[in-house]
Amino acid sequence: MKLLLTKTIRAVFLMLLTVSTVSLNAQSDPTGESAVTRTFAITNATVIQAPGKELKGATVVIKNGLIQAVGTNVTVPTNAQVIDGKDMFVYAGFIDGLANTGAKRPENTPRPNDLFSPDPPNDYAGITPEHSLLDQLDIESNTIASMRKEGFAISHSVPFGRMLPGAGSIILLGDKKHADELILSKDVTMFTQFAGAPGAYPGNVLGIMAKYRNLYRNAENNKKHYDSYAENPSGIERPERDRVTEAFFPVVTKQQAVMYDASGVLEVQRAMRLQKELGFRLMVGNVKQAWDLGQMFKDNGTGVFLSLDLPDAPKEAKGKDLDEMTEETKRLEARKVDFYKKYVGQAASLANSGVKFGFSSLDATSTKVKANLLTMIENGLSENDALAALTTNAASLLGIDKITGTVEAGKIANIMVSNAPYFTKDSQIKFMFVDGDKYDFEIKEKGAAGNGNRSAAAGNDPIVGSWTYNFETPNGASTGKMTFAKDGDTYTGKMTSNDGAPDANLQEVTFANGTLSFIFMIDAGGQSVELVVSGTVTGNQYDAEVTVSAFNFSTPMSATKDGQ
């Protein structure tokens, strides 16, 4: 365990301290024109109503949260705020198939005294299917605004937790005063993942699968008892109320689908094995290794949401480096390239095999969503299939295609407007409409002046530069260097370790009011482990704590900016 903890904390810190402030310049407009009217007309635009269905020189009228009219011969209401759509492109707002968007992580459940009993407390074991996203939904979460900025209007969001965190809901990614206003469909899925309780049953994959079978079979039997008692209670023992069992009832009756977080191929296959055995409706999300599973998805009718997270492309060895490689090293590098090509080409492979899939941002960085989509397109995915995964397919899989997913009269006014075709590299989103509310974004000019501004901003930034870090592990202190750069609103960085570990590219975090916090997943012996990092930047000093909730473990860390 000590070795695993050491590797885990090292993995934590190798990804620590990159800062990427979430730009929230997409704000609702409670003042000005949109405060007077919720009627808008986007005129003379290119409207992509659905994948492969395009109207040029068209007008889209939005009124009271709905799309009132779309076409080339549409009358603009006299009270409408008119947006000149010349050279603009209108799309349906994107739909995220599986995410924690809007959810606020609860505090860790205290470690119980009876941890090693056959049945530890459900809260600690992570068996809380009676919970709901609504229990964690935070209208002030910056994840809502950050995903909206990337073109998403709807998210199937799920609560944080372990094996059975609770029910997922479909939410609108708007700026509202009350959480109830964000809910489009409440408790639509039972969210499940292969994440066991640290040091307790079920703590591994086999235990989790066995526990799920047991819970499901008990629910089947108890449902019959409940139904018999409800029909005629005379002479029948009153059934005992159990919230966990009752949470399974809509799954048993197939009114509610089961959504598995199944990133690896084995996790997908295990989820499908349980579905075949028990008979529930199945969707899998955050899927990262599905290139060989197309026929299985089709045969089983499983709903699929591919991960929007992609690995970095392997560096190609050239010149002297290539000449110095052994044949074994060359074969290893070739296998890395082959794996990468399969990974980034799997969306195209599934589309070509006829699998209807959507996308999931669960492990993805919001600011990398578009770049990753373009990478998939460069590796064979057509733009129409990419758009379908973001809109029509996702709406169909989630059962909301009658009200959203296309730009058609009568549907919810979830619309994205860009200054160029979205799937071109330099396109930018100018407007988002979510539930009929308008959000404006700044279009950044390209060119030397813009680059100069970025450099100036970076030069004054307290994060940019080199830092010396120190953090504690079970085996003592670890030290090294971090370097940070900034491009626009996005920070990038690299970390080197004095113990000879490979350099690491740093990932996105949130930074607000001096507090630097972020969450990410690592693979620890085949199990996904969640880590929470939070600390304060004060001048040239960063003080933080890394919490590994799966191991009930935390460690302090600090960093000092060089040359200060």
Side-chain angles (χ1 to χ4, degrees):
M1 176 60 77
K2 274 195 171 184
L3 178 60
L4 178 59
L5 285 176
T6 302
K7 290 182 176 179
T8 299
I9 300 305
R10 177 172 293 170
V12 174
F13 209 75
L14 285 174
M15 297 178 71
L16 189 60
L17 278 179
T18 181
V19 184
S20 180
T21 50
V22 177
S23 175
L24 302 181
N25 57 353
Q27 302 293 328
S28 59
D29 186 14
T31 61
E33 294 172 291
S34 61
V36 177
T37 179
R38 291 190 75 222
T39 303
F40 304 90
I42 307 168
T43 62
N44 196 32
T46 299
V47 180
I48 293 81
Q49 291 190 272
K53 187 177 181 181
E54 179 181 296
L55 290 175
K56 293 185 178 294
T59 294
V60 179
V61 174
I62 298 169
K63 184 175 182 180
N64 296 329
L66 296 174
I67 300 172
Q68 186 181 62
V70 183
T72 55
N73 188 23
V74 171
T75 301
V76 175
T78 56
N79 66 331
Q81 177 187 342
V82 178
I83 298 170
D84 184 2
K86 184 181 179 182
D87 299 326
M88 292 187 181
F89 293 76
V90 177
Y91 298 82
F94 299 157
I95 301 169
D96 192 343
L98 179 63
N100 293 126
T101 301
K104 183 177 182 179
R105 183 181 303 277
E107 294 183 4
N108 290 335
T109 302
R111 189 179 181 90
N113 293 327
D114 57 346
L115 180 62
F116 300 106
S117 69
D119 291 300
N122 283 339
D123 283 351
Y124 185 80
I127 301 171
T128 57
E130 73 278 13
H131 290 181
S132 170
L133 171 74
L134 271 66
D135 302 327
Q136 298 180 10
L137 187 56
D138 178 13
I139 60 172
E140 297 181 355
S141 171
N142 57 20
T143 58
I144 293 175
S146 63
M147 288 305 293
R148 184 172 65 229
K149 187 183 178 186
E150 299 304 320
F152 288 82
I154 286 175
S155 174
H156 168 232
S157 291
V158 295
F160 288 104
R162 291 172 180 157
M163 175 182 166
L164 285 163
S169 295
I170 298 173
I171 66 170
L172 295 157
L173 301 183
D175 185 5
K176 299 293 186 179
K177 295 181 179 180
H178 195 280
D180 289 347
E181 297 178 88
L182 298 181
I183 300 299
L184 187 61
S185 296
K186 177 178 178 290
D187 296 346
V188 296
T189 61
M190 172 182 280
F191 178 50
T192 310
Q193 49 192 356
F194 295 102
Y201 177 79
N204 56 38
V205 171
L206 293 180
I208 290 168
M209 293 179 71
K211 184 65 174 180
Y212 193 90
R213 290 187 186 96
N214 179 259
L215 291 170
Y216 189 93
R217 294 301 190 196
N218 285 344
E220 282 185 317
N221 294 331
N222 289 338
K223 182 69 169 63
K224 295 175 182 177
H225 188 182
Y226 275 56
D227 290 346
S228 297
Y229 188 82
E231 183 177 349
N232 182 9
S234 178
I236 299 178
E237 181 181 1
R238 179 178 61 84
E240 294 184 7
R241 302 302 301 268
D242 179 78
R243 289 179 296 172
V244 171
T245 295
E246 291 176 7
F248 270 83
F249 287 175
V251 172
V252 169
T253 60
K254 297 183 175 58
Q255 295 173 300
Q256 187 183 68
V258 176
M259 170 65 85
Y260 262 93
D261 174 4
S263 58
V265 62
L266 290 178
E267 291 177 337
V268 173
Q269 291 173 332
R270 286 162 178 157
M272 295 176 75
R273 190 182 312 151
L274 283 173
Q275 186 276 333
K276 186 174 182 180
E277 178 182 338
L278 301 175
F280 52 80
R281 290 169 49 212
L282 175 64
M283 292 191 286
V284 289
N286 197 30
V287 176
K288 298 180 180 180
Q289 300 176 22
W291 46 83
D292 293 326
L293 301 179
Q295 191 60 47
M296 187 180 294
F297 287 142
K298 290 176 67 175
D299 293 343
N300 200 54
T302 300
V304 183
F305 292 94
L306 294 181
S307 176
L308 283 167
D309 182 41
L310 295 181
D312 294 332
K315 294 181 179 179
E316 183 181 356
K318 297 180 180 179
K320 183 179 178 181
D321 291 338
L322 183 62
D323 293 338
E324 293 178 350
M325 281 186 178
T326 66
E327 289 303 316
E328 179 60 29
T329 302
K330 289 179 181 179
R331 285 193 291 270
L332 176 61
E333 293 302 309
R335 287 196 294 269
K336 289 181 180 179
V337 171
D338 183 59
F339 174 83
Y340 176 76
K341 288 294 184 181
K342 286 183 176 181
Y343 200 121
V344 297
Q346 69 178 328
S349 176
L350 292 182
N352 293 337
S353 65
V355 175
K356 180 188 290 187
F357 63 88
F359 284 120
S360 161
S361 73
L362 191 64
D363 284 348
T365 300
S366 62
T367 54
K368 293 185 177 180
V369 164
K370 183 178 177 182
N372 289 347
L373 286 167
L374 294 181
T375 296
M376 294 181 203
I377 289 171
E378 290 169 2
N379 285 273
L381 182 65
S382 73
E383 291 186 7
N384 279 344
D385 285 335
L387 183 59
L390 291 163
T391 55
T392 52
N393 286 359
S396 177
L397 290 169
L398 293 172
I400 55 175
D401 49 310
K402 291 184 178 180
I403 58 174
T404 192
T406 58
V407 186
E408 295 181 278
K411 292 197 172 181
I412 298 173
N414 291 335
I415 288 175
M416 182 263 281
V417 183
S418 62
N419 67 344
Y422 173 77
F423 294 110
T424 56
K425 182 179 180 181
D426 294 329
S427 69
Q428 298 179 59
I429 296 174
K430 174 58 179 170
F431 301 106
M432 277 293 295
F433 290 86
V434 179
D435 200 26
D437 293 329
K438 179 169 74 74
Y439 302 83
D440 294 7
F441 298 88
E442 178 186 357
I443 297 294
K444 297 177 182 178
E445 298 296 330
K446 303 294 181 181
N451 292 334
N453 290 337
R454 286 196 293 270
S455 298
N460 296 325
D461 192 278
I463 303 300
V464 172
S466 174
W467 296 69
T468 298
Y469 69 80
N470 180 296
F471 71 101
E472 294 297 323
T473 75
N475 289 346
S478 179
T479 60
K481 293 284 186 181
M482 303 176 296
T483 56
F484 296 90
K486 187 177 183 183
D487 183 11
D489 295 326
T490 302
Y491 291 91
T492 59
K494 181 170 287 188
M495 175 175 284
T496 60
S497 174
N498 289 338
D499 65 4
D503 293 353
N505 292 322
L506 303 178
Q507 305 299 315
E508 181 189 8
V509 299
T510 59
F511 182 61
N513 300 321
T515 299
L516 182 64
S517 303
F518 57 94
I519 300 163
F520 62 95
M521 307 292 292
I522 63 169
D523 182 20
Q527 179 180 352
S528 292
V529 178
E530 189 175 71
L531 300 104
V532 181
V533 182
S534 184
T536 303
V537 176
T538 306
N540 66 336
Q541 187 69 26
Y542 179 59
D543 296 294
E545 184 153 326
V546 181
T547 301
V548 189
S549 59
F551 299 141
N552 197 26
F553 179 85
S554 63
T555 185
M557 53 76 60
S558 63
T560 303
K561 195 169 186 181
D562 297 335
Q564 299 294 312

